[in-house]
């Protein structure tokens, strides 16, 4: 009976630990899952994003979960199924009745399930609550009255996933905008047997030249246009193309000829959105090295263009098919790629790593040196000064913040990184206490033997004490890393130049911008990138951390 009780108790402890681990890891799992989502996949809430489509032919039909019918929380399942079935039947019959009045390219698709569900989903979201209790006949009459040509065309535009080309605009370094052409005036040419052009100049809100492709007949194709352009290569700064993607995650590689020079993109654009977007290609310049948010893809000059006259502009786009595993990887990495491309996280990370390194060096050296004096040396007032140091732990950091700011500013070090690391070389009361307690556990005989052999106190500190307190020094380094890596208030007070921001303050600036742009998925990706080093540090240094804590204060 006693053995059974021990097994149950042992199992109960593990259940409690596992439950706690799941509860505390749930927010991080949500954070990672959200970082994989595109903007249109954030609602309704889900732990992980839906899988991308394996696109072989385009255009095709699709819809996001938030665009389809969603059951209201106050409606039971049985009633929902009845209304959902009746709604689909009503929408389909209404579309068949008005079929002849719709555009030709929609007439053959009126029975498309995604089209029907998208229309019905939009109705459910704005349907008066009274209709849920008014009966199916009233529900059907309301739907029939709401459906008209504009509703159907807008719904078709939303579920009709296609690649489409719009206007082309060039920008010079003098900020002059030059319209190269639009869907009606640009003459696009196609290379490849797996694609064709379909002009779509009516009905949709934006005109475009659709590119219908079938990658069962090939793995890539090239589209290009040549237009008049009197801009020289030296004046050329940026080219903007209005592009509608199909969420296939296939890549587009651009080559631009302008002013007799040829420019090639150094990174591809992905067909990752099902909406119109402006794609920018900009010549590599000082702006690529700056901290400004990048909204463009960089192109570099690769030589002269003998094929294109100097008064012409040629845009050549190569669309390449890729395997489905690569598509999955591109979707998973997509938001991280955007964050690293648009925001100077590399610069922020460099600043953070510099501060972490300097603070670890400062704390390890100063705290161990002072702790050695308190633990192993005898001098007048030692215990009094140690109590005084411990008393400083009771002073809130906010109390000393203003005096510190005034001191560093009077020294001319405001808006530099020096105030964020120089203070570590003056020691930290907590680390001094931690290392002192650890040093007290070292046998005095080792020190006495070294003194007999002629060692001085500094040599004893260097060759005997430091090697023996490595676990405690590792603990100091880990704590310092965590505090400096996550420090927000210090950089906020002492820094004004964004180029000097560490990652914590840089993410705050990104947060303010992304809130305005409603790009929450990019915020989650940036947060994951900042969290990864801390998690990696825990897994690789947990042994030293636990050893340093458990051995502190033991008497030898």
């Amino acid at each position: 009976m006693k053995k059974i009780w021990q097994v149950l108790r042992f199992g109960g402890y593990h259940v409690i630990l596992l439950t706690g681990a799941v509860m505390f890891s749930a927010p991080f799992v949500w954070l990672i899952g959200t970082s994989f989502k595109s903007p249109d996949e954030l609602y309704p809430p889900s732990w992980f994003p839906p899988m991308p489509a394996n696109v072989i032919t385009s255009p095709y039909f699709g819809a996001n979960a938030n665009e389809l019918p969603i059951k209201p929380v106050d409606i039971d399942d049985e009633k929902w199924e009845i209304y959902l079935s009746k709604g689909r039947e009503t929408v389909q019959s209404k579309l068949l009745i008005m079929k002849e009045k719709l555009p030709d390219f929609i007439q053959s698709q009126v029975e498309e399930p995604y089209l029907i569900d998208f229309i019905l989903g939009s109705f459910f979201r704005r349907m008066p609550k009274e209709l849920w209790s008014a009966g199916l006949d009233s529900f059907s009459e309301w739907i029939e009255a709401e459906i008209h040509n504009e509703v159907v065309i807008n719904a078709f535009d939303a579920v009709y996933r296609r690649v489409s080309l719009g206007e082309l605009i060039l920008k010079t370094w003098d900020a002059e905008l030059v319209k190269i052409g639009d869907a009606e005036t640009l003459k696009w040419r196609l290379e490849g047997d797996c694609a064709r052009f379909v002009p779509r100049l009516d009905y949709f809100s934006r005109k475009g030249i659709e590119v219908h492709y079938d990658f069962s007949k090939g793995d890539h194709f090239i589209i290009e246009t040549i237009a008049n352009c009197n801009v020289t290569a030296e004046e050329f700064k940026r080219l903007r193309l209005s592009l509608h993607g199909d969420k296939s995650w296939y890549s587009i590689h651009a080559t631009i000829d302008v002013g007799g020079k040829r420019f090639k993109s150094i990174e591809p654009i992905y067909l990752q959105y099902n909406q119109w977007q402006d794609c920018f290609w900009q010549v590599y310049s000082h702006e690529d090295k700056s901290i400004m948010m990048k909204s463009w893809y960089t192109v570099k000059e690769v030589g002269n263009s003998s094929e294109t006259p100097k008064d012409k502009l040629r845009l050549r786009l190569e669309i390449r098919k890729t395997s489905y595993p690569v598509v999955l990887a591109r979707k998973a990495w997509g938001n991280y790629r955007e964050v690293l491309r648009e925001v100077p996280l590399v610069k922020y990370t460099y600043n953070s790593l510099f501060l972490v390194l300097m603070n670890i060096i400062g704390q390890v050296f100063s705290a161990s040196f002072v702790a050695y004096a308190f633990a192993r040396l005898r001098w007048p007032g030692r215990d009094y000064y140690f109590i005084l140091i411990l008393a400083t732990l009771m002073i809130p950091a906010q109390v000393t913040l203003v005096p510190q700011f005034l001191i560093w500013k009077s020294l001319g070090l405001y808006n530099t990184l020096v105030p964020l690391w120089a203070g570590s070389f003056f020691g930290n009361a907590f680390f001094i206490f931690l290392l002192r307690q650890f040093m007290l556990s070292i046998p005095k005989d080792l020190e006495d033997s070294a003194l007999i052999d002629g060692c001085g106190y500094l040599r004893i500190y260097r060759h005997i004490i430091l090697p023996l307190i490595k676990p405690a020094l590792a603990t100091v380094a880990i704590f310092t890393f965590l505090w400096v890596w996550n420090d927000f208030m210090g950089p906020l007070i002492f820094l004004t130049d964004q180029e000097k921001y560490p990652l914590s303050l840089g993410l705050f600036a990104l947060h303010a911008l992304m809130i305005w742009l409603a790009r929450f998925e990019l915020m989650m990706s940036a947060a994951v990138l900042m969290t990864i080093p801390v998690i990696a540090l825990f897994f690789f240094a947990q042994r030293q951390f636990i050893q340093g804590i458990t051995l502190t204060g033991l008497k030898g």
Side-chain angles (χ1 to χ4, degrees):
M1 187 66 183
K2 184 178 180 181
K3 188 174 182 179
I4 296 176
W5 171 249
Q6 289 178 345
V7 172
L8 292 175
R9 185 175 62 178
F10 183 77
Y13 289 155
H14 279 72
V15 170
I16 294 174
L17 289 174
L18 288 174
T19 303
V22 170
M23 291 177 61
F24 282 102
S25 63
F28 187 67
V29 173
W30 179 271
L31 181 72
I32 295 177
T34 306
S35 71
F36 294 153
K37 298 178 182 179
S38 59
D40 52 9
E41 295 171 348
L42 296 177
Y43 182 83
S46 60
W47 286 97
F48 293 101
M51 301 289 282
N54 186 13
V55 180
I56 302 298
T57 61
S58 178
Y60 66 101
F61 291 93
N64 300 313
N66 60 338
E67 297 172 333
L68 300 176
I70 300 175
K71 185 180 80 69
V73 294
D74 55 343
I75 302 299
D76 60 78
D77 294 341
E78 182 179 358
K79 189 173 187 177
W80 167 250
E81 290 298 330
I82 294 174
Y83 272 74
L84 181 61
S85 176
K86 183 63 175 178
R88 286 171 173 167
E89 178 185 337
T90 304
V91 172
Q92 183 174 352
S93 61
K94 180 65 175 181
L95 291 178
L96 291 173
I97 292 173
M98 58 187 302
K99 177 179 179 180
E100 301 300 327
K101 299 179 182 179
L102 296 172
D104 295 340
F105 61 94
I106 299 181
Q107 290 181 11
S108 60
Q109 306 293 340
V110 293
E111 297 184 73
E112 167 61 41
Y114 279 115
L115 176 61
I116 295 172
D117 277 356
F118 184 93
I119 295 173
L120 188 59
S122 65
F123 288 165
F124 276 132
R125 284 188 288 274
R126 59 186 178 87
M127 186 178 76
K129 290 186 177 181
E130 297 78 18
L131 288 178
W132 289 106
S133 57
L136 291 177
D137 292 338
S138 299
F139 172 65
S140 298
E141 291 174 2
W142 182 82
I143 289 181
E144 290 179 354
E146 292 292 321
I147 297 180
H148 48 80
N149 278 26
E150 184 179 356
V151 170
V152 178
I153 293 173
N154 290 337
F156 188 88
D157 188 14
V159 300
Y160 183 56
R161 297 184 172 176
R162 76 278 187 188
V163 177
S164 189
L165 308 168
E167 64 180 2
L168 191 63
I169 296 177
L170 182 144
K171 184 178 182 179
T172 67
W173 285 104
D174 294 330
E176 178 186 359
L177 297 178
V178 180
K179 185 173 182 179
I180 306 300
D182 54 28
E184 294 180 297
T185 58
L186 289 173
K187 305 300 181 184
W188 291 94
R189 189 175 66 86
L190 181 65
E191 293 181 15
D193 299 328
C194 58
R196 62 187 178 92
F197 293 126
V198 177
R200 196 75 70 197
L201 305 177
D202 298 313
Y203 301 108
F204 288 156
S205 58
R206 296 181 67 169
K207 299 176 181 180
I209 303 297
E210 293 182 5
V211 183
H212 294 195
Y213 61 82
D214 184 354
F215 276 138
S216 64
K217 301 177 181 179
D219 59 359
H220 77 284
F221 61 89
I222 296 173
I223 54 178
E224 72 171 17
T225 184
I226 301 176
N228 295 325
C229 180
N230 293 318
V231 176
T232 65
E234 292 73 22
E235 296 173 327
F236 169 57
K237 177 183 180 181
R238 179 184 295 180
L239 189 66
R240 185 187 79 192
L241 172 67
S242 294
L243 175 70
H244 191 290
D246 62 355
K247 294 193 78 170
S248 62
W249 287 92
Y250 294 147
S251 59
I252 299 180
H253 300 262
T255 302
I256 303 170
D257 294 350
V258 61
K261 299 291 185 179
R262 173 162 293 178
F263 302 85
K264 281 193 173 182
S265 60
I266 62 175
E267 52 187 338
I269 292 178
Y270 295 143
L271 296 170
Q272 63 189 83
Y273 300 113
N274 178 41
Q275 59 187 12
W276 285 98
Q277 63 181 106
D278 288 330
C279 300
F280 296 95
W281 291 280
Q282 180 168 309
V283 178
Y284 181 79
S285 66
H286 65 280
E287 291 186 355
D288 289 86
K289 302 178 182 179
S290 69
I291 60 170
M292 63 189 301
M293 186 172 180
K294 287 180 61 177
S295 59
W296 64 86
Y297 294 85
T298 304
V299 295
K300 285 189 174 182
E301 182 180 336
V302 294
N304 297 323
S305 173
S306 58
E307 306 172 6
T308 309
K310 290 187 177 181
D311 61 343
K312 300 286 186 181
L313 179 143
R314 179 198 300 263
L315 175 61
R316 185 179 177 90
L317 304 175
E318 181 182 5
I319 301 180
R320 302 175 186 174
K321 178 184 180 297
T322 189
S323 62
Y324 190 63
V326 175
V327 169
L328 293 175
R330 285 177 178 175
K331 178 175 173 56
W333 178 248
N335 289 329
Y336 297 97
R337 175 178 181 258
E338 289 297 307
V339 168
L340 294 173
R341 187 182 65 84
E342 295 182 9
V343 182
L345 282 186
V346 175
K347 181 63 176 176
Y348 296 157
T349 304
Y350 170 80
N351 294 336
S352 289
L353 291 177
F354 173 77
L355 292 176
V356 164
L357 179 63
M358 295 301 296
N359 276 276
I360 288 178
I361 294 174
Q363 293 292 0
V364 168
F365 170 75
S366 61
S368 62
F369 203 72
V370 175
Y372 172 67
F374 280 117
R376 316 302 293 187
L377 305 181
R378 293 184 178 277
W379 44 279
R382 184 188 66 172
D383 296 337
Y384 168 77
Y385 285 111
F386 181 67
I387 294 174
L388 188 63
I389 286 179
L390 290 183
T392 62
L393 290 174
M394 295 182 287
I395 302 176
Q398 293 80 0
V399 173
T400 60
L401 190 59
V402 173
Q404 286 185 43
F405 174 80
L406 295 176
I407 292 172
W408 291 116
K409 187 177 181 180
S410 65
L411 294 175
L413 296 174
Y414 176 64
N415 194 31
T416 69
L417 294 177
V418 175
L420 300 176
W421 62 262
S424 64
F425 285 84
F426 295 93
N428 177 282
F430 173 73
F431 292 148
I432 292 172
F433 169 75
L434 184 71
L435 293 177
R436 174 188 178 272
Q437 298 305 108
F438 197 97
M439 290 180 187
L440 290 176
S441 66
I442 300 175
K444 187 72 173 176
D445 296 343
L446 295 175
E447 190 174 345
D448 294 338
S449 300
L451 288 172
I452 293 174
D453 291 338
C455 284
Y457 289 114
L458 290 179
R459 193 172 180 184
I460 292 173
Y461 163 77
R462 169 65 181 86
H463 294 284
I464 296 179
I465 299 299
L466 286 184
L468 292 175
I469 64 171
K470 284 182 179 179
L473 293 179
T475 301
V476 171
I478 293 171
F479 273 124
T480 303
F481 177 91
L482 294 176
W483 288 345
V484 176
W485 187 263
N486 295 317
D487 183 27
F488 172 77
M489 186 59 67
L492 181 65
I493 296 298
F494 290 105
L495 299 177
T496 59
D497 187 354
Q498 192 171 349
E499 191 172 356
K500 298 182 176 68
Y501 282 5
L503 201 55
S504 56
L505 191 57
L507 285 185
F508 176 76
L510 172 67
H511 171 80
L513 179 62
M514 291 300 125
I515 286 289
W516 181 65
L517 296 175
R519 297 298 305 275
F520 303 104
E521 73 285 353
L522 295 188
M523 291 166 47
M524 299 299 104
S525 301
V528 171
L529 290 175
M530 185 174 180
T531 309
I532 286 176
V534 178
I535 297 176
L537 177 69
F538 171 77
F539 280 107
F540 286 106
Q542 59 178 321
R543 180 180 178 183
Q544 290 80 1
F545 174 76
I546 295 174
Q547 186 179 7
I549 292 294
T550 55
L551 294 181
T552 298
L554 295 180
K555 283 283 186 178

